[in-house]
Amino acid sequence: MKAITVSGEELTIRDVCSVAYNGTEINFPEDKKFMDVLVRSRKFLEDYIAQGYPTYGVTTGFGDSCANQINPAKAAELQRSIVHFHGIGLGPKFSREEGRAVVLCRLNSDVKGGHSAIRPELADMLKTLLNKDIIPVIPQIGSVGASGDLTPLSYVGAVVMGEREVYYKGKVVPAMDAFKAEGIEPLPLAAKEGLAIMNGTSVMTAVAALAWQNARRLSIISDFITAATAEIVRGNEVPFRRKVAEMKNHAGQIESGEYIYSIVKDSKRVYRYEDLLQKMGSIGGLAYEKRDVKIQDRYSIRCAPQINGVLRDTLHMTKQWIEEEINSSNDNPLVNVDTNELYNTGNFYGGHICASCDYLRIALANISDLADKQAEIIIDGKFNGLTENLIPFTEDTAPEAGLRFGFKACQITMSAIRGEVQHYCAPVSVTSAPTEALNQDKVSMGTISARKLRDQIDLVFLQFGVHLLAVCQAVDLIGKEEFSPFTQKVYSEVRKMSAMVVNDRQLDKEATAVSEWLKTTELFGEKD
């Protein structure tokens, strides 16, 4: 697998996912200029400090304590202090994969343009942590998203110094145990380097990047579920024609409609509009005629591209914002090595990440609600010509008559998840409250928003796992040869994990297995 180059300029969400999940190695640019910039910026900072002027967080206290100045000789000790007193992260831990993404995002930011003024040795240490897969164990609770992710990122700074715990070879061990096993010496932090690691947005950005990729996957699966629903209820294909979406103008709707159309155009059950008119026939000279077939489908089918199109367009917008944040200098203070200036800034503020995650959660709540309505018209026999609750066709005189309830409880579970998903969509960006002696008087809350997005996405995967079981049950009742080739492919994969429900049985483990499969399968053609 080709290594990914970390320069602070061109890292993508896909790169972050590759390093996080696949263990892809990283390296630095080979050109001499990259390392020269790090050396020059570091020298400028050291010369600046030596003049004795107050330098925020380097020769002054932190936050509201910034009026307190120390001698430059204490600068390194001060950086150890900020790491130590921020060791108050609580609650569940980020996964190893999330931790890998955090370290990558922090490193990419810290080497961008020399603005963070770290030593090359620190850059090399962070690269080593990734390439040796020695990953800080980071508690999830303790960040308000400005000044960046101070508390969770303190666990990265501590590990650099050989402190706290890491994921290593499938276990959680003391950092020094992993260092000794790999022959690595801990690196004491020098002036400003604690801030360079901690005073930034890399936790929220890493979690948002991984969540974005999963949200993208859900947008595609949502369109498949729409296509399958249209097949099951014998819908028509007009709402999914490209020309319809082009009339509306939104790129996300065009993508959604085209994906759905690519499936239903090959189905024996979805009507071409012209064929539907032919089936219905002309009213001729009659004044009124009540028909069994409707000329158009319910909103949950007909408006699905308009609904999922919002998620797809939100993904377009937030991809730009998240990748811009990944490739940003977001600690404080920052150095302009070209002009030999030092800036006291607020680039650690995670507003774009918080807003990205807020917007995505709202859009995801809508596709969860859409799926809940589609599940109703799949499972409720009144709407599709199938059986009540998708039970097998059962004669009234059969011994099983009255004893089969099929997918009744599955629909309730999906609705329960839908309700919980909607609860997650409340915006976090507006919940800022002052803290830290009123210095941090307006904060982003970005890390909380990103965590809520990740958790919401896990729920939608569970909902879709149950939903696909219902889709496949309907395919069994109708006959899979009636469905599009792609729906048959999905059906075949799901049937490897779950057989048709004939007599009622427990389905929790099967639904969970399908949910986990949805997170990794390449069947749905996920692309950038």
Side-chain angles (χ1 to χ4, degrees), residues 321-359:
W321 287 6
I322 293 168
E323 290 186 341
E324 287 173 347
E325 192 74 32
I326 290 170
N327 294 292
S328 70
S329 290
N330 52 70
D331 60 293
N332 177 49
L334 294 171
V335 166
N336 184 340
V337 71
D338 295 325
T339 60
N340 287 334
E341 292 178 294
L342 185 142
Y343 306 137
N344 292 332
T345 81
N347 278 8
F348 49 68
Y349 197 90
H352 280 82
I353 295 297
C354 192
S356 294
C357 296
D358 280 0
Y359 298 155

Side-chain angles (χ1 to χ4, degrees), residues 29-40:
E30 295 180 357
D31 63 300
K32 187 173 181 291
K33 180 181 177 182
F34 171 79
M35 202 57 69
D36 283 348
V37 169
L38 295 186
V39 171
R40 284 170 51 214

Side-chain angles (χ1 to χ4, degrees), residues 212-220 312 315 526-527:
W212 184 95
Q213 194 75 1
N214 280 325
R216 166 69 174 156
R217 177 176 285 264
L218 287 172
S219 74
I220 301 169
R312 285 179 175 267
L315 286 162
E526 184 181 2
K527 297 177 182 177

